[in-house]
Amino acid sequence: MDTSLKDYQRVRQLAIRSLFEIVEQSSAGTIIVDRNANIVWMNERYAQRFGLASAQEAIGKPCESVIPSSLMREVVTTGQPLLLDMLDTSTEPLVVMRLPIRDDAEQIIGAIGFALFGRLKSLAPLLTRYQQMQEELASTRSLLRARQAKYNFANFIGTSAASLEVKRRARRSAGTDSPVLLLGETGTGKELLAHAIHSTSPRAHKAFVSVNTAAIPETLLEAEFFGTAPGAFTGADRKGRAGKLQIAQGGTLFLDEIGDMPLPLQSKLLRVLQEKEFEPVGSNEVISSDIRLIAATSIDLEVAVQRGEFRADLYYRLNVLPIRVPPLRERLEDLPALCEAIFDEFGNHHELAPQALELLSRHAWPGNIRELRNVLERAALLNDEAVLSEEALRTAIGVLHPLTAPASSRHTLPALGDFQQARLQFERQFISAALAEHCGNVDATARQLRMGRSTLYKKMAALGIVS
């Protein structure tokens, strides 16, 4: 036999012997049984723990007759180790480990058991750390549940052409990591769509973090967004504070009313989008960023860029997947379904008389769906009748804002005034109508208008039209 192989076997045998001696000496007790689970050896400490005057008294006895709750027989029967287990005794529980013993032919010939800890207080540091980890895990799961998307596309109610187009675009955007820009008036459901895009995306299992830029004081917005280093400024948390970018790591960050973001912060957001990194306030540490950004605004960002109130480079970076969310007055055919869904949300059994629904279709809804929900809730609270009348809705609406033209009309004359504005409005309506006839097909629309495709694309970009 090769000398090196002999040395290997000798070292292995010595290691096995040393391991056994170390564990046997440091454990609270050791026992060895044969293939029939009869005790063949037991150290004196273990014998005394179970009331024997000498370990010799245990030799040849079934293990259960000495250790009533022993599972050594299970180990020799199954051949499977029980690495960590609790063994109840008359005094106190023990932490034990049981291992099968095999011969050279890999046949089970017995088992060995060690009582690793005789006093559970020896495990106190480990148990304390385990408990801390469990608490941290529970806290993280709780925070993540609180940051989960609350809505999906089923919550965006409507079967009108305008609603279906919005959902089609939003669904397509869900599969990418590109920024999404939601454009529309207040109350049209932009945040609901942001939730739905996240919940359908590959990032759905991660956090959805929402920041209303207009609701946070400008002096606190940077710290809220990027987080702070420990003691970054007077009054700052001494341990530092994670910002929304860190909380949204791996998930989606939704910036509502991004048009109100201060210019200095806009440049830092642009760096996050381009370089995918940021620095907390008061820190030199550069943190990698992995977020999907969805932004929303109720203002015309192109006008804001022209006025110098919004960075053009950030606008172009955000305007990759723009989705215009139409106001309620442009999708009045969705009113019956919206009203039914809102009443279901309230948990009551109200419904609308035909005249009441007709009245709702004559209102311009400056507050959009948020206003509709408010009106229906007020009408339901003020009336005991299950069927709400036209008069009940008129009272709930208060001041009626009549539509200036039928919602289905494609061409509406602008108010007399600036000729350039009137021309742009006509071009926007004309091209939008042509695109609608061809289901958004730019090539077909360009041929109908006898216009080059690149020229049409430029026109669409200038007028804020998306196909």
Side-chain angles (χ1 to χ4, degrees):
M1 183 179 291
D2 188 90
T3 304
S4 61
L5 182 57
K6 290 181 179 179
D7 290 342
Y8 164 76
Q9 291 178 337
R10 180 172 176 273
V11 170
R12 181 172 177 271
Q13 292 297 326
L14 289 173
I16 293 172
R17 185 189 307 166
S18 297
L19 177 62
F20 173 79
E21 290 175 354
I22 291 170
V23 175
E24 190 277 326
Q25 290 171 10
S26 60
S27 70
T30 305
I31 183 175
I32 300 176
V33 300
D34 62 16
R35 70 182 66 197
N36 298 314
N38 295 325
I39 298 173
V40 298
W41 184 82
M42 182 183 235
N43 66 4
E44 295 295 337
R45 291 191 305 280
Y46 219 25
Q48 292 172 11
R49 179 178 292 275
F50 291 101
L52 301 179
S54 168
Q56 192 63 32
E57 296 180 23
I59 305 302
K61 293 182 178 180
C63 59
E64 298 90 349
S65 66
V66 177
I67 306 173
S69 52
S70 174
L71 295 180
M72 296 292 281
R73 188 175 301 278
E74 179 180 330
V75 175
V76 295
T77 301
T78 65
Q80 297 299 315
L82 298 174
L83 296 181
L84 281 177
D85 192 18
M86 299 291 291
L87 175 67
D88 289 323
T89 71
S90 58
T91 54
E92 60 182 348
L94 303 175
V95 178
V96 298
M97 177 173 66
R98 308 177 183 96
L99 303 169
I101 302 173
R102 301 175 186 272
D103 60 16
D104 293 339
E106 291 299 311
Q107 298 298 311
I108 301 295
I109 59 173
I112 184 170
F114 300 99
L116 299 177
F117 298 98
R119 295 183 179 180
L120 292 186
K121 67 180 182 181
S122 304
L123 291 174
L126 179 62
L127 293 174
T128 300
R129 178 60 182 147
Y130 175 77
Q131 184 65 29
Q132 290 174 345
M133 292 173 64
Q134 288 294 98
E135 290 174 357
E136 290 172 6
L137 179 60
S139 176
T140 301
R141 284 175 173 168
S142 177
L143 288 173
L144 186 57
R145 281 194 298 270
R147 299 286 184 183
Q148 292 296 299
K150 300 175 183 176
Y151 308 105
N152 54 44
F153 285 113
N155 298 113
F156 192 86
I157 307 298
T159 56
S160 65
S163 297
L164 293 177
E165 176 63 14
V166 167
K167 284 193 275 192
R168 183 188 72 83
R169 285 179 164 274
R171 286 183 187 277
R172 292 192 65 178
S173 72
T176 76
D177 266 349
S178 299
V180 175
L181 182 60
L182 301 173
L183 307 167
E185 298 176 6
T186 299
T188 51
K190 298 188 293 295
E191 183 167 1
L192 186 153
L193 273 176
H195 279 264
I197 292 171
H198 172 76
S199 67
T200 313
S201 75
R203 296 174 178 263
H205 64 291
K206 295 290 187 177
F208 176 90
V209 179
S210 177
V211 180
N212 189 325
T213 311
I216 301 173
E218 185 173 337
T219 53
L220 299 178
L221 192 55
E222 186 174 356
E224 184 74 15
F225 197 66
F226 295 105
T228 59
F233 51 85
T234 303
D237 194 324
R238 287 181 297 177
K239 296 181 180 179
R241 183 169 179 265
K244 294 297 190 286
L245 272 171
Q246 288 170 272
I247 298 172
Q249 195 77 321
T252 299
L253 179 66
F254 173 57
L255 297 181
D256 200 6
E257 297 300 345
I258 196 172
D260 294 318
M261 178 176 282
L263 283 169
L265 191 56
Q266 290 180 26
S267 62
K268 294 186 177 183
L269 174 60
L270 183 62
R271 179 192 173 191
V272 173
L273 295 177
Q274 291 181 335
E275 306 299 332
K276 298 190 182 302
E277 61 184 29
F278 65 94
E279 296 177 15
V281 176
S283 171
N284 293 323
E285 179 188 8
V286 177
I287 299 177
S288 296
S289 173
D290 175 25
I291 56 114
R292 198 275 175 89
L293 182 68
I294 302 177
T297 181
S298 57
I299 69 172
D300 190 329
L301 287 185
E302 286 190 0
V303 174
V305 169
Q306 293 169 6
R307 292 175 179 169
E309 298 170 355
F310 200 85
R311 291 181 62 103
D313 47 7
L314 178 58
Y315 170 66
Y316 297 136
R317 189 69 187 88
L318 292 175
N319 199 36
V320 177
L321 293 171
I323 300 174
R324 179 180 175 271
V325 187
L328 182 55
R329 62 182 173 275
E330 292 183 11
R331 57 184 190 109
L332 291 174
E333 53 265 55
D334 292 334
L335 269 173
L338 283 168
C339 292
E340 183 178 351
I342 291 170
F343 283 137
D344 286 344
E345 182 184 322
F346 294 157
N348 56 38
H349 303 288
H350 285 92
E351 56 182 274
L352 299 176
Q355 299 85 350
L357 189 59
E358 195 274 333
L359 173 68
L360 296 185
S361 66
R362 298 202 308 269
H363 186 47
W365 298 106
N368 293 293
I369 298 173
R370 189 174 294 128
E371 181 189 1
L372 175 63
R373 179 177 283 104
N374 180 274
V375 166
L376 294 180
E377 184 174 11
R378 183 184 301 119
L381 290 173
L382 294 177
N383 294 271
D384 296 327
E385 296 82 5
V387 179
L388 299 176
S389 65
E390 177 184 1
E391 186 60 33
L393 267 296
R394 188 181 298 277
T395 301
I397 290 174
V399 178
L400 186 73
H401 296 270
L403 292 167
T404 55
S408 60
S409 175
R410 287 181 180 167
H411 308 289
T412 57
L413 291 175
L416 293 178
D418 184 85
F419 174 78
Q420 178 71 4
Q421 181 181 358
R423 184 178 68 81
L424 291 175
Q425 182 173 340
F426 173 77
E427 287 186 0
R428 185 179 292 109
Q429 292 175 335
F430 183 74
I431 292 175
S432 296
L435 283 166
E437 287 182 5
H438 294 282
C439 300
N441 187 311
V442 176
D443 289 340
T445 303
R447 286 195 297 270
Q448 177 190 326
L449 299 180
R450 298 181 181 179
M451 182 184 295
R453 185 176 65 173
S454 60
T455 303
L456 179 56
Y457 270 120
K458 290 177 182 178
K459 277 282 187 185
M460 291 167 60
L463 296 169
I465 300 173
V466 290
S467 62

